[in-house]
Amino acid sequence: MQIDKEQFKKDLAEQIQKDYSQSIDAVSASEVYQSLAKTIRYYISGDWIKCKEKVRDNLEKQVYYFSMEFMIGRLLKETLLKTGMLEDVTDVLREFGFKIEDILESEREPGLGNGGLGRLAACFMDSCACLGIPGNGNGIRYNYGMFEQRFSDGNQVEWPDDWLRNKNPWEIRKENRKEVVKFGGTVRMDANLKPIHEGYEIVHAVPYDMPIIGNDDKTINTLRLWSAELSLEDSELNSVEYSKLEAKKIEIQKITNVLYPDDSTDEGKLLRLKQEYFFVSAGLQSIMKDFKKLKLSISEFPNKVAVHINDTHPALCIPELIRILLDEEHLEWEEAIEITRDTMSYTNHTIMQEALEKWPAHFLKNLLPRIYMILEELDRRFNDKYSSSLTEEQLRNTSIIRDGYVRMANLSVIMSHSTNGVAKLHTDLLKTEVMKDLNFLFPDRFNNKTNGISYRRWIESCNPTLSSLIDETIGKDWRKNPLELTKLNDYKDDPIMLDRIERVKNINKENFSDYMKQRYDFDIDPKSIYDVQIKRFHEYKRQFLNALHILYLYHKILREPDYKMQPVTFIFGGKAASSYYRAKKVIKFINSLAYHINTDPRVKGRIKIYLIPNYNVSLAERIIPATNISEQISTATKEASGTSNMKFMLNGAITLATLDGANIEIKDQVGDDNIMIFGLNKEEVLDYQSNHNYNASDIYQNDEDIKMVVDSLVNGFLPKLGYDGIDLYDSLLKENDRYFVLKDFHSYKEASAKLRCMYKDRKKWNKMSIINTANAGIFSSDETIKRYAKEIWNVNGDF
């Protein structure tokens, strides 16, 4: 986008005056950010409108991506890069006496996601826009993010993530597009067998739209986030006491108050269910209204609309669309089911049974009575159709409602035309283990779409030094086509390139070290190996294994004071869900270990350990370019794909991994010599699980090193850990080490030692780094979205 800098200066100054009644020389960096974002939003608004009109006028099919999370990160720099305004805006700010870095740093990160699910959704939305695909996000406008993570005496403490405190300048409130969502009440059938819903509670869903900008702002899609608001009309307001009105307002606002409320109680579970139906209902009602403006037959709906369910959280899209088609469009059941199935597609993100959502039937019956009636009918029809061709066990495994629960994964597979996994291994496990009976019924519906990442954010934006080196080496075509990165393979033995790639990494490490010192007072040696594990805390991701290995190294150093090793800084980042007791104990363990190691003079800097509080996208953008070793150590079969593994790979880190998720495909791309694999494989894990022949106590009793580190959890070796180590100790021995931490311990220890030894040969290490970056293009979310568009959504784009 070409801008007149003088006019832009005037527009920015006027916006600041409107916002703050101040001149630009009297406002802060955060205030400049707010007005700058609004000015840029105004500049792109014309193109945003044109894109919407083009899609409408050409009757183009649109994708609506429903997700509980959109972890979009900061937007200003991305927007300036995509619109080509970065240089001009930097100049304008400099003339006003501001540094672009200060303005960028003042942006608060939107509290719209927590982990890989939300980051994937953000990358997918970016790719849709950049590929010219009409792809829109649909989610919740949370008043507060999951939480702001702080530490007190090593424990995670949750503080409100008040990300909207200074408002979100990128969003536009669309009061005229609000929808009505109904909860509770009763449903009866009239004389014509039409449902009559009575006594329900009304909640208004108000949309806030944000632009999703493609390259050169050719395509601008929309992320629509819904906010729950009080629905009382003026006539009702006069008859309600103020105190009751306030209580009702607070109760309604809870629906969109916080990302992932504590669901350890029935009250919390019901709130989560309310959230899921709220944004699904609002989104589908809005989509239907837009479709009807096209004046097409309702049978054309699947030809103009694709609804994608990102994991099971939005699975209520299915009965809600059927409700709209039956009750509002007055279709017959058969046609409503056919249209719904042809419209819906589903991505599964887990094989873990406890993570496959299911809801107590009475929750749905009481909270969403009409939806529950539809689910009962879907289940009845499914059982009538397949009861004669399935065994009782198969029918039990595949039914939508069984044993008092509504099973959302089964609903999603049965009522979608496509179900995809997110890595080759994950999809294979879905078909052969977790959903084998559903795959038996619907083999043509299951397919793989390995996850991908937005290289625009994860190298162009966050690692400009490396990006510039790539430009100088192979040209700039890779910025449009990431597969062009393979040309770097021609330089993997070039001594000049090997030297330059190391200099880039060292610059990033020094920058990260300086930032950590300034922000957290962390003393990170930029000459040490940066060994990094950043992801949400979960037992299957095995931050515990990583920490136990560090504890082993600590013991080794104390036993062998002259032990020589390459200095390593172990860096962790991630949050544990507020009700996830075990994961929070692992955080306490890591923080306790960090205190003892980092303050013990006997260690002499050979190892250090840091858990960075409140990990988010912005921190990842600083950590990933500086990383040497990428920890991807989940228990085999548990990680569906992973995306941090791809981000690290793209930035030249070497992966230390199990054969799990997309690690397998990374290995296929880089070759055995450029990744470090350890641990049990899929077959070994499944064998232990099916035969129940794993005995953690035997390993503990017969291995001195393992016994030493496990006992250190409870014998007072780590005074800061105190009694909190008992639960972790019990997880290994009393609970028989569910995630095979002890079984993989020695394999992991040896793999880590090999990598540290390999780091000494800098020429070889830098060659490995180049090979990883060169072969990462296939994991671009652009490539993934092309496959979604062609093979699932049947939509067109500029590719």
Side-chain angles (χ1 to χ4, degrees):
M1 177 183 289
Q2 296 292 322
I3 64 171
D4 182 325
K5 285 201 287 189
E6 289 304 313
Q7 184 61 48
F8 189 86
K9 283 174 65 178
K10 292 178 183 178
D11 292 339
L12 177 56
E14 286 180 9
Q15 186 64 52
I16 287 171
Q17 185 175 336
K18 288 177 187 176
D19 291 339
Y20 302 107
S21 297
Q22 299 270 17
S23 61
I24 195 166
D25 57 359
V27 293
S28 66
S30 62
E31 290 168 332
V32 170
Y33 157 72
Q34 288 282 330
S35 297
L36 175 61
K38 290 178 184 177
T39 304
I40 294 168
R41 194 190 74 197
Y42 170 73
Y43 269 57
I44 66 172
S45 60
D47 289 331
W48 195 4
I49 293 169
K50 288 177 184 176
C51 283
K52 293 176 184 177
E53 292 175 343
K54 172 180 172 289
V55 170
R56 180 195 64 204
D57 295 345
N58 293 341
L59 298 179
E60 294 181 41
K61 185 175 185 180
Q62 296 193 67
V63 177
Y64 296 90
Y65 196 85
F66 280 72
S67 179
M68 284 286 283
E69 297 185 43
F70 287 93
M71 200 172 179
I72 55 179
R74 291 171 172 167
L75 296 174
L76 178 57
K77 186 177 180 181
E78 287 282 295
T79 303
L80 292 174
L81 283 169
K82 287 179 179 177
T83 57
M85 296 170 64
L86 181 59
E87 185 176 341
D88 287 340
V89 170
T90 299
D91 291 342
V92 168
L93 291 172
R94 187 184 301 115
E95 290 179 33
F96 280 128
F98 290 93
K99 295 179 180 179
I100 184 67
E101 295 80 10
D102 295 336
I103 306 301
L104 295 173
E105 191 64 23
S106 68
E107 180 177 4
R108 288 185 66 87
E109 188 161 316
L112 300 173
N114 172 50
L117 182 82
R119 187 53 233 169
L120 180 76
C123 286
F124 278 7
M125 292 300 94
D126 171 79
S127 286
C128 281
C130 290
L131 293 171
I133 295 169
N136 307 285
N138 203 287
I140 294 177
R141 181 183 183 265
Y142 301 103
N143 295 321
Y144 296 90
M146 185 173 177
F147 54 80
E148 181 181 321
Q149 181 192 53
R150 302 182 188 179
F151 300 129
S152 176
D153 195 28
N155 295 293
Q156 173 179 287
V157 179
E158 296 97 23
W159 285 67
D161 175 17
D162 190 9
W163 74 280
L164 286 171
R165 181 173 63 233
N166 295 324
K167 298 185 178 180
N168 176 13
W170 300 103
E171 68 184 12
I172 301 175
R173 177 183 169 91
K174 296 292 186 71
E175 176 74 22
N176 65 322
R177 295 303 308 270
K178 67 184 177 183
E179 302 290 348
V180 170
V181 181
K182 301 174 182 178
F183 293 104
T186 57
V187 178
R188 61 180 176 83
M189 294 295 180
D190 66 12
N192 298 314
L193 296 180
K194 297 298 182 183
I196 306 297
H197 196 175
E198 301 171 317
Y200 48 78
E201 174 191 35
I202 288 177
V203 175
H204 275 172
V206 180
Y208 288 73
D209 288 357
M210 298 172 63
I212 304 172
I213 304 172
N215 283 335
D216 304 320
D217 57 282
K218 290 180 180 177
T219 299
I220 303 181
N221 291 330
T222 300
L223 172 59
R224 174 161 286 183
L225 303 173
W226 297 93
S227 177
E229 299 188 5
L230 190 66
S231 67
L232 292 176
E233 303 296 338
D234 290 341
S235 59
E236 295 175 291
L237 290 173
N238 296 328
S239 62
V240 178
E241 295 178 19
Y242 179 77
S243 60
K244 292 182 179 179
L245 185 63
E246 279 298 300
K248 188 174 182 64
K249 179 180 178 182
I250 291 170
E251 189 65 25
I252 285 174
Q253 288 178 336
K254 282 183 181 178
I255 297 172
T256 54
N257 204 39
V258 65
L259 169 66
Y260 295 149
D262 183 352
D263 60 357
S264 60
T265 65
D266 280 355
E267 182 182 9
K269 290 184 176 72
L270 277 168
L271 179 56
R272 176 72 171 274
L273 181 58
K274 265 191 172 184
Q275 286 185 327
E276 294 185 2
Y277 181 68
F278 169 79
F279 89 99
V280 156
S281 177
L284 284 171
Q285 290 183 70
S286 177
I287 291 167
M288 182 59 73
K289 286 178 180 176
D290 285 341
F291 171 79
K292 294 183 75 171
K293 291 176 183 176
L294 303 178
K295 307 297 184 182
L296 298 173
S297 166
I298 193 68
S299 63
E300 287 292 305
F301 190 80
N303 297 326
K304 300 302 175 185
V305 173
V307 173
H308 198 85
I309 300 169
N310 190 30
D311 218 1
T312 53
H313 311 126
L316 290 173
C317 277
I318 292 165
E320 175 63 8
L321 181 55
I322 292 174
R323 182 196 68 78
I324 292 171
L325 294 172
L326 293 175
D327 300 355
E328 298 177 15
E329 302 304 317
H330 310 296
L331 299 186
E332 297 299 323
W333 265 96
E334 288 74 14
E335 189 176 5
I337 288 175
E338 183 180 356
I339 288 173
T340 299
R341 184 178 292 120
D342 289 346
T343 302
M344 298 290 165
S345 51
Y346 160 57
T347 294
N348 173 280
H349 284 278
T350 184
I351 66 165
M352 299 172 67
Q353 287 294 336
E354 61 268 31
L356 292 171
E357 245 185 346
K358 59 182 182 179
W359 290 104
H362 67 274
F363 277 18
L364 283 148
K365 189 174 185 179
N366 294 330
L367 185 67
L368 307 169
R370 178 58 179 147
I371 293 300
Y372 186 68
M373 291 174 66
I374 291 169
L375 290 170
E376 284 188 309
E377 179 63 14
L378 289 175
D379 187 59
R380 184 191 69 77
R381 287 169 178 256
F382 175 82
N383 281 277
D384 284 352
K385 184 173 183 178
Y386 293 107
S387 58
S388 61
S389 57
L390 297 177
T391 66
E392 178 56 35
E393 182 182 3
Q394 287 176 318
L395 199 61
R396 172 178 293 277
N397 291 338
T398 55
S399 295
I400 296 170
I401 304 174
R402 184 59 67 112
D403 300 327
Y405 284 90
V406 179
R407 298 183 289 185
M408 310 308 278
N410 287 5
L411 169 68
S412 299
V413 174
I414 291 168
M415 286 303 300
S416 297
H417 68 272
S418 169
T419 293
N420 72 278
V422 292
K424 290 178 182 177
L425 173 63
H426 171 234
T427 302
D428 179 59
L429 288 168
L430 286 179
K431 293 165 69 174
T432 60
E433 298 288 334
V434 182
M435 295 180 173
K436 64 180 180 180
D437 294 325
L438 286 166
N439 182 57
F440 169 76
L441 289 175
F442 312 114
D444 294 338
R445 295 184 191 175
F446 283 83
N447 59 93
N448 179 61
K449 300 290 178 286
T450 297
N451 281 344
I453 59 170
S454 170
Y455 64 95
R456 282 166 289 275
R457 181 178 288 267
W458 293 111
I459 186 168
E460 288 188 55
S461 178
C462 77
N463 200 345
T465 312
L466 178 57
S467 297
S468 295
L469 174 58
I470 295 172
D471 288 344
E472 294 172 26
T473 306
I474 63 171
K476 295 185 178 182
D477 288 350
W478 70 276
R479 291 180 181 260
K480 298 292 184 182
N481 178 11
L483 296 181
E484 290 286 310
L485 287 170
T486 56
K487 292 179 179 178
L488 286 172
N489 282 314
D490 295 338
Y491 297 87
K492 63 180 182 292
D493 294 309
D494 185 327
I496 296 175
M497 185 62 173
L498 294 173
D499 182 61
R500 295 185 74 187
I501 206 78
E502 180 165 355
R503 286 206 301 269
V504 166
K505 182 65 72 174
N506 289 340
I507 289 169
N508 290 331
K509 291 173 72 173
E510 289 166 3
N511 290 340
F512 177 68
S513 177
D514 291 343
Y515 181 80
M516 288 294 105
K517 180 63 177 178
Q518 180 181 356
R519 183 166 181 181
Y520 301 108
D521 198 29
F522 289 173
D523 289 313
I524 299 179
D525 178 8
K527 294 182 180 179
S528 66
I529 298 171
Y530 286 10
D531 186 308
V532 179
Q533 187 175 15
I534 45 174
K535 50 189 76 227
R536 65 186 174 90
F537 271 77
H538 196 290
E539 288 171 272
Y540 85 81
K541 294 180 183 289
R542 299 203 296 188
Q543 288 94 345
F544 189 26
L545 172 61
N546 191 344
L548 283 175
H549 170 244
I550 298 168
L551 177 57
Y552 163 80
L553 290 176
Y554 185 30
H555 273 290
K556 187 172 184 65
I557 288 169
L558 297 184
R559 288 184 307 188
E560 303 175 33
D562 297 325
Y563 176 64
K564 297 187 185 309
M565 64 175 289
Q566 177 74 33
V568 185
T569 301
F570 295 96
I571 298 169
F572 294 85
K575 298 176 182 178
S578 57
S579 59
Y580 197 166
Y581 176 83
R582 179 69 50 73
K584 293 171 84 168
K585 294 298 181 185
V586 174
I587 286 176
K588 175 63 180 290
F589 172 41
I590 291 172
N591 278 327
S592 302
L593 189 58
Y595 172 83
H596 289 291
I597 289 175
N598 296 350
T599 60
D600 191 334
R602 296 172 295 178
V603 175
K604 298 179 181 177
R606 282 169 283 185
I607 54 175
K608 281 196 171 183
I609 175 173
Y610 294 100
L611 174 49
I612 302 172
N614 207 42
Y615 170 69
N616 56 21
V617 175
S618 303
L619 280 169
E621 289 172 332
R622 294 180 179 274
I623 298 169
I624 289 171
T627 297
N628 299 118
I629 296 175
S630 161
E631 297 271 357
Q632 308 296 331
I633 60 176
S634 55
T635 306
T637 75
K638 299 302 182 185
E639 184 74 82
S641 169
T643 53
S644 69
N645 47 8
M646 302 169 187
K647 296 162 194 168
F648 283 116
M649 176 194 186
L650 181 61
N651 283 271
I654 311 305
T655 309
L656 173 57
T658 52
L659 289 173
D660 196 27
N663 297 340
I664 297 170
E665 290 158 76
I666 291 175
K667 174 178 171 289
D668 292 341
Q669 290 299 311
V670 302
D672 293 352
D673 294 336
N674 301 294
I675 189 172
M676 184 61 67
I677 299 297
F678 77 95
L680 297 171
N681 60 28
K682 176 190 75 171
E683 290 75 20
E684 291 166 328
V685 168
L686 294 178
D687 179 71
Y688 276 128
Q689 291 174 337
S690 61
N691 294 317
H692 306 287
N693 56 352
Y694 177 61
N695 192 319
S697 292
D698 281 352
I699 296 175
Y700 165 78
Q701 293 292 347
N702 294 300
D703 190 296
E704 291 184 4
D705 287 340
I706 287 177
K707 191 173 190 306
M708 174 184 65
V709 295
V710 173
D711 285 349
S712 295
L713 298 171
V714 294
N715 65 8
F717 179 76
L718 300 172
K720 277 283 184 180
L721 180 59
Y723 292 106
D724 289 310
I726 295 174
D727 181 72
L728 298 176
Y729 180 92
D730 288 345
S731 75
L732 297 173
L733 300 181
K734 288 187 177 181
E735 299 172 24
N736 200 37
D737 187 18
R738 181 181 177 190
Y739 295 99
F740 304 104
V741 170
L742 300 187
K743 183 64 180 177
D744 279 350
F745 180 83
H746 278 294
S747 179
Y748 176 60
K749 173 172 68 73
E750 291 164 7
S752 182
K754 285 181 184 178
L755 268 185
R756 293 197 304 274
C757 184
M758 291 167 66
Y759 189 77
K760 296 175 184 177
D761 185 346
R762 308 314 291 274
K763 181 179 178 181
K764 181 177 180 180
W765 187 274
N766 295 332
K767 178 179 178 178
M768 294 166 64
S769 182
I770 291 171
I771 291 171
N772 271 267
T773 298
N775 293 282
I778 196 171
F779 297 111
S780 160
S781 53
D782 286 10
E783 297 303 307
T784 310
I785 285 297
K786 287 176 186 178
R787 294 192 289 273
Y788 273 91
K790 293 176 181 177
E791 300 168 19
I792 296 178
W793 301 332
N794 192 27
V795 293
N796 299 317
D798 301 328
F799 59 90

